[in-house]
Amino acid sequence: MRTHLLPLLSLTFFSAGVAATGEVLDGKPETVVQVLKQAGYAATYRPGDLKDGPMITLKVSGEDIYLYLYGCKPEGCTRLTASNGYETDVTSAAVISYIGNWNYDNYTQAYIDPEDKAAYLDSSYLLTGGYTRANMVAWLREYLDDLPDFEGDLP
């Protein structure tokens, strides 16, 4: 009986809206922007229109970082995707090989867009079900840490 008491007690102390590491937040764009601003990022929100969906632009070390919101409804969005592109020779064997090797070695994902003649680095973050500030900021920092390596080594 004693071994079952601790889990039961812990359930009574933590509400459904609070995780052990912080408040569980919703996926509303204004909440996401607030988290980014509180983390020290200069975040600008654009609600989007019929052609383009909502997005957030960050200014980091003079470079624009693009965050796209997907699956948005009044109760919140389902996903946040960071994506930045770099013009390159997308037909080059060196670029194609680099993209393949990047995807093998990294959590962030790279791809080539032949129409844009660019290589992109993406990372998606699920907002569905909630998230904590610390977790979202850690995800973004990992993405931002990968960007200079990706851009600097891209043939």
Side-chain angles (χ1 to χ4, degrees):
M1 177 71 168
R2 199 174 162 132
T3 59
H4 300 288
L5 186 57
L6 185 59
L8 182 59
L9 286 174
S10 66
L11 287 175
T12 61
F13 290 114
F14 294 109
S15 73
V18 178
T21 59
E23 181 182 7
V24 176
L25 303 172
D26 62 52
K28 293 178 181 175
E30 54 271 14
T31 305
V32 174
V33 169
Q34 177 220 30
V35 167
L36 295 168
K37 286 184 175 182
Q38 285 182 350
Y41 296 103
T44 305
Y45 175 67
R46 193 193 77 203
D49 53 31
L50 293 175
K51 182 181 175 196
D52 298 313
M55 71 176 281
I56 300 165
T57 305
L58 304 179
K59 202 61 131 169
V60 178
S61 300
E63 184 175 353
D64 287 332
I65 307 299
Y66 302 100
L67 305 174
Y68 300 92
L69 292 154
Y70 294 98
C72 296
K73 295 179 180 173
E75 61 272 14
C77 304
T78 60
R79 181 171 46 116
L80 179 65
T81 298
S83 183
N84 281 71
Y86 303 93
E87 289 185 14
T88 189
D89 179 3
V90 297
T91 61
S92 160
V95 170
I96 294 168
S97 177
Y98 177 75
I99 297 296
N101 289 333
W102 181 273
N103 289 334
Y104 181 78
D105 292 332
N106 294 279
Y107 176 72
T108 51
Q109 293 298 294
Y111 68 94
I112 293 171
D113 185 333
E115 276 186 34
D116 291 348
K117 296 182 180 170
Y120 286 85
L121 186 66
D122 283 10
S123 184
S124 288
Y125 186 81
L126 293 179
L127 302 170
T128 303
Y131 58 93
T132 64
R133 291 176 199 281
N135 188 260
M136 176 186 279
V137 171
W139 163 79
L140 181 59
R141 283 187 187 134
E142 288 297 319
Y143 177 76
L144 295 174
D145 284 349
D146 279 356
L147 271 179
D149 293 339
F150 179 77
E151 180 185 18
D153 295 338
L154 183 65

